[in-house]
């Protein structure tokens, strides 16, 4: 009990399981500068139930105050990458399990403006305050878009220190008629025209 109390009292960064499954709500405290992750119990974070995960998938490394994922390519916020700096609220998928990175005293960037995607026949308000929103036809997406050629997870809109940005999670994403390859990102401005599959929307500020 004393060890658990000390870990909770001094933890500065951790992963927490999200979604459903055996790791839902489970916390893994990042208690040293290099934390190994994999299927084997020999790792600091051993996910033995994830049979498709390598015995050692990679490490979470702290350098100059920033945590990074380094190792096997894994989806971070839906974009597969072998190396990625992490910010609070980022989501890592390890095998079939998904975890959210958190840090004490930090909050994910957000915008205090209210935004929406306005189409010819439908308007989709984005969450307020906006940190990140997944767009796609999957009912589990933050914003569910019905239409032709819309992928289950088509794109993601994130709030950052420089404003909003769009990340393409699948092919078929355009901004102002210019294609955005899968895995690429682009900063957004009010009035930008977004094409998701065969559906078009303008990014607008909401009133009220």
């Amino acid at each position: 009990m004393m060890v658990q109390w000390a870990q909770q009292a001094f933890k500065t960064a951790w992963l927490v399981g999200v979604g459903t499954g055996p790791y839902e709500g489970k916390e893994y405290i990042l208690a040293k500068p290099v934390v190994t992750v994999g299927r084997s119990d020999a790792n600091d974070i051993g996910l033995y139930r994830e049979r498709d995960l390598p015995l050692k998938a990679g490490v979470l490394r702290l350098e100059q105050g920033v945590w990074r994922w380094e190792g096997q390519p894994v989806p971070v916020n839906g974009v597969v990458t072998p190396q990625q700096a992490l910010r609070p609220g980022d989501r890592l998928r390890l095998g079939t399990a998904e975890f959210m990175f958190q840090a004490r005293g930090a909050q994910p960037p957000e915008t205090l403006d209210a935004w929406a995607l306005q189409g010819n026949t439908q308007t989709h308000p984005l969450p307020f305050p906006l940190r990140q929103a997944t767009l796609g036809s999957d009912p589990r997406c933050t914003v569910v878009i019905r239409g032709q050629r819309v992928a289950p997870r088509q794109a993601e809109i994130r709030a950052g220190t420089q404003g909003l940005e769009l990340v393409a999670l699948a092919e078929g994403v355009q901004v102002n008629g210019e294609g955005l390859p899968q895995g690429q990102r682009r900063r957004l401005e009010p009035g930008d025209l977004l094409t998701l599959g065969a559906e078009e929307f303008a990014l607008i500020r909401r009133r009220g």
Side-chain angles (χ1 to χ4, degrees), residues 42-64:
N43 294 288
D44 298 308
I45 298 179
L47 306 174
Y48 68 90
R49 292 185 177 91
E50 298 304 314
R51 297 304 179 187
D52 294 332
L53 196 67
L55 291 176
K56 182 178 179 182
V59 301
L60 293 160
R61 187 186 305 276
L62 178 62
E63 291 183 343
Q64 298 180 341

Side-chain angles (χ1 to χ4, degrees), residues 103-178:
R104 184 180 296 279
Q107 293 292 331
E110 64 182 36
T111 174
L112 296 182
D113 290 324
W115 297 91
L117 297 177
Q118 185 176 58
N120 292 328
T121 60
Q122 53 185 327
T123 298
H124 296 284
L126 297 179
F128 179 83
L130 176 61
R131 293 190 175 97
Q132 63 182 41
T134 306
L135 317 174
S137 59
D138 191 316
R140 294 170 293 182
C141 287
T142 313
V143 177
V144 179
I145 297 177
R146 308 295 185 185
Q148 297 182 4
R149 301 197 298 276
V150 178
R153 288 170 54 88
Q154 187 78 65
E156 188 170 74
I157 294 178
R158 303 176 188 168
T161 56
Q162 301 300 317
L164 297 184
E165 66 177 10
L166 181 73
V167 181
L169 303 181
E171 299 298 331
V173 178
Q174 296 181 21
V175 179
N176 299 325
E178 182 179 343

Side-chain angles (χ1 to χ4, degrees), residues 6-205:
Q7 287 178 334
Q8 291 294 324
F10 294 102
K11 74 178 182 181
T12 58
W14 62 97
L15 297 181
V16 59
V18 295
T20 59
Y23 302 105
E24 180 182 3
K26 186 173 179 60
E27 286 190 359
Y28 293 94
I29 298 172
L30 309 184
K32 56 184 183 179
V34 179
V35 177
T36 60
V37 182
R39 189 174 81 249
S40 170
D41 285 340
N43 294 288
D44 298 308
I45 298 179
L47 306 174
Y48 68 90
R49 292 185 177 91
E50 298 304 314
R51 297 304 179 187
D52 294 332
L53 196 67
L55 291 176
K56 182 178 179 182
V59 301
L60 293 160
R61 187 186 305 276
L62 178 62
E63 291 183 343
Q64 298 180 341
V66 177
W67 283 96
R68 305 183 65 87
W69 167 261
E70 298 176 358
Q72 295 287 327
V74 300
V76 179
N77 297 322
V79 179
V80 178
T81 176
Q83 183 172 332
Q84 177 67 45
L86 300 176
R87 65 182 185 180
D90 280 350
R91 296 191 176 210
L92 292 79
R93 182 169 291 277
L94 302 167
T96 62
E98 189 170 27
F99 297 89
M100 180 180 291
F101 172 77
Q102 294 286 14
R104 184 180 296 279
Q107 293 292 331
E110 64 182 36
T111 174
L112 296 182
D113 290 324
W115 297 91
L117 297 177
Q118 185 176 58
N120 292 328
T121 60
Q122 53 185 327
T123 298
H124 296 284
L126 297 179
F128 179 83
L130 176 61
R131 293 190 175 97
Q132 63 182 41
T134 306
L135 317 174
S137 59
D138 191 316
R140 294 170 293 182
C141 287
T142 313
V143 177
V144 179
I145 297 177
R146 308 295 185 185
Q148 297 182 4
R149 301 197 298 276
V150 178
R153 288 170 54 88
Q154 187 78 65
E156 188 170 74
I157 294 178
R158 303 176 188 168
T161 56
Q162 301 300 317
L164 297 184
E165 66 177 10
L166 181 73
V167 181
L169 303 181
E171 299 298 331
V173 178
Q174 296 181 21
V175 179
N176 299 325
E178 182 179 343
L180 190 64
Q182 183 176 0
Q184 299 296 308
R185 63 187 67 196
R186 175 169 169 172
R187 185 174 176 183
L188 295 176
E189 300 290 345
D192 279 348
L193 184 64
L194 280 57
T195 303
L196 307 173
E199 305 300 315
E200 290 187 339
F201 300 92
L203 179 68
I204 62 171
R205 284 193 174 96

